Amino acid sequence: MSKVAVLGAGSWGTALAMVLCENNHDVRIWTHNTEQKQRMEQEGKNAKYLPDIPLPPSLSIHDDLTMAIKDVEAIVLVVPTKAIRETCQRLKQVLHHQVVLIHASKGIEPDSHYRISEMIDEELNRTQYQDVVVLSGPSHAEEVSLKHPTTVTAASEDESLAAFTQDLFMNQYFRVYTSTDVIGVELGGALKNIIALGAGISDGLGYGDNAKAALITRGLAEITRLASVKGANPLTFIGLTGVGDLIVTCTSSHSRNWRAGNLLGQGNALEDVLSKMGMVVEGIRTTDAVTQLAREEQIEMPITTGIYDVIHQNKSPKKVVDDLMARDRTTEIDDISDILFNRDKD
Ligand SMILES: NC(=O)C1=CN([C@@H]2O[C@H](COP(=O)(O)OP(=O)(O)OC[C@H]3O[C@@H](n4cnc5c(N)ncnc54)[C@H](O)[C@@H]3O)[C@@H](O)[C@H]2O)C=CC1
Ligand SMILES: O=C(CO)COP(=O)(O)O
């Protein structure tokens, strides 16, 4: 049994805390919102995020970070990407022993283009954590909280920490694989959110399964292209955190990114969409970050650019699809072959 703190009490933090309780660990969940803590304690559930799911009686709920992390062996950081730095800065003040730092968030920071592990490295001291482990994969909180079979990947440059995380979380309904490709696993989780916005937009326009299969497949091609330039193993993208997470996010109405895209495709303005969602839609900021990055690295990402134009340039979703369909004729596999077969040549 390990002592573990989960920082972030939204849908995913709550579902992961429940997996850890199921595995008989001593689990504390931390929220920055005192009212939410009180409601969770009074109601025995996390009403806003997982309204029908009772919380395990063994889960302790905290709004005091010092108490939440007291003597823990591992910390699971699972706040939205835009709150990662702020949460690490709070943690830096109160964490006086070394922990295993696991994060389960999916995003890229605009301007810096940092992955989450890079933000953590910048904000915390190495005396406070051994190394970062990324936990990612096709895993909607709504289904994990119902104990439906789910598979994810724990990636760390330190294989022993990936294996520690596998042991911590793995059970009969939550299967964890390990990987050392931190860059690929983080980028897969973050970049699929952009393509899920696109899949939602396509559905919102009334297009069908052919269009969605095209978006998933060509989306996979462009995110693999970018990730490979950034140092990921392209083969990671045929795994759970690549194509696996693309499938689940592009095809499920649980996905906030898909739902936001769907509303955009129906002609709603971005501000109205975001106020209706009431939960984090990571793909919006990640689209900004990746559009900047693709421009800087001169990588062709036509789907991402089209989604950026819908979000920020007021371009009509229908016109974006028409323009994607009218791009110059090209071959299908050449660029992916280049990535796969030329990557070790330099
Ligand atoms: N919901 C899901 O099924 C999955 C979500 N994720 C990722 O997990 C991360 C968190 O997502 P969710 O839990 O779904 O979001 P959510 O929208 O359900 O909840 C976000 C939580 O973060 C808290 N929060 C917001 N700002 C904060 C701050 N400054 N400091 C501390 N806490 C703050 C909110 O109070 C709320 O409890 C995201 O990066 C998401 O992509 C990953 C896999 C599955
Ligand atoms: O990452 C997820 C599933 O793997 C959740 O996706 P959304 O943030 O779009 O709901």
Side-chain angles (χ1 to χ4, degrees), residues 29-100:
I29 191 164
W30 171 82
T31 166
H32 68 148
N33 181 334
T34 300
E35 194 190 321
Q36 185 193 14
K37 171 201 182 261
Q38 287 164 350
R39 281 196 65 186
M40 285 170 75
E41 280 174 342
Q42 279 158 15
E43 298 172 356
K45 58 186 185 179
N46 193 351
K48 179 173 175 196
Y49 297 103
L50 293 171
D52 303 321
I53 308 292
L55 295 172
S58 64
L59 178 65
S60 64
I61 304 160
H62 298 264
D63 59 355
D64 178 335
L65 190 55
T66 307
M67 290 300 291
I69 63 164
K70 189 167 186 294
D71 299 331
V72 294
E73 203 175 336
I75 289 178
V76 185
L77 188 56
V78 59
V79 293
T81 306
K82 73 172 183 337
I84 290 281
R85 283 191 190 273
E86 182 192 326
T87 307
C88 286
Q89 284 157 12
R90 287 181 186 226
L91 195 53
K92 187 172 185 172
Q93 304 304 315
V94 295
L95 180 58
H96 302 302
H97 65 284
Q98 197 179 45
V99 297
V100 178

